């Protein structure tokens, strides 16, 4: 295990976050524009898809980080990332923290 991470690791994680943020923005913008010109229920569904994409972006980031840690044979952080992923999945399935 090296103490210095590869720049490829940081670029991959940054790419996931960048793609997630931009795609979320454009999907929500499309819903907003559709709502202004068309109206009805469809724009709300498009905006809901944008919000779901926004919520999925950090989960995909954890999945990518977990994969990259295990590929680099950095098992300590790979298992930590896998634990975080399990906590995220349990939270979304069981609604932990819902009031």
């Amino acid at each position: 295990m090296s103490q210095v991470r590869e720049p490829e690791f940081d670029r991959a994680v940054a790419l996931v976050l960048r793609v997630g943020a931009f795609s979320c923005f454009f999907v929500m913008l499309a819903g907003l524009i559709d709502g202004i010109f068309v109206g009805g229920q469809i724009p709300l569904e498009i905006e809901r898809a944008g919000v779901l994409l926004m919520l999925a972006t950090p989960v995909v980031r954890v999945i990518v980080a977990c994969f990259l840690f295990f590929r680099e044979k950095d098992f300590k952080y790979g298992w930590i990332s896998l634990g975080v992923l399990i906590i995220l999945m349990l939270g979304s399935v069981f609604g932990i923290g819902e009031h």
Side-chain angles (χ1 to χ4, degrees):
M1 173 179 82
S2 67
Q3 296 297 325
V4 178
R5 254 188 287 156
E6 299 291 322
E8 169 188 317
F9 181 92
D10 293 330
R11 273 189 246 126
V13 171
L15 179 67
V16 168
L17 294 173
R18 193 174 304 119
V19 167
F22 281 122
S23 59
C24 164
F25 170 75
F26 287 120
V27 168
M28 291 182 77
L29 183 64
L32 178 67
I33 291 172
D34 194 27
I36 291 172
F37 293 113
V38 177
Q41 192 67 20
I42 300 295
L44 296 175
E45 296 299 322
I46 294 172
E47 289 177 5
R48 183 174 293 146
V51 171
L52 288 174
L53 187 60
M54 185 187 320
L55 292 172
T57 299
V59 175
V60 174
R61 183 243 183 258
V62 171
I63 292 170
V64 168
C66 182
F67 172 77
L68 291 175
F69 280 131
F70 280 124
R71 192 179 76 179
E72 290 181 355
K73 295 184 178 32
D74 194 352
F75 297 113
K76 176 183 174 183
Y77 290 110
W79 287 112
I80 290 172
S81 296
L82 191 60
V84 169
L85 181 62
I86 290 170
I87 290 170
L88 286 171
M89 293 294 112
L90 288 174
S92 65
V93 169
F94 294 115
I96 297 173
E98 185 177 337
H99 296 265

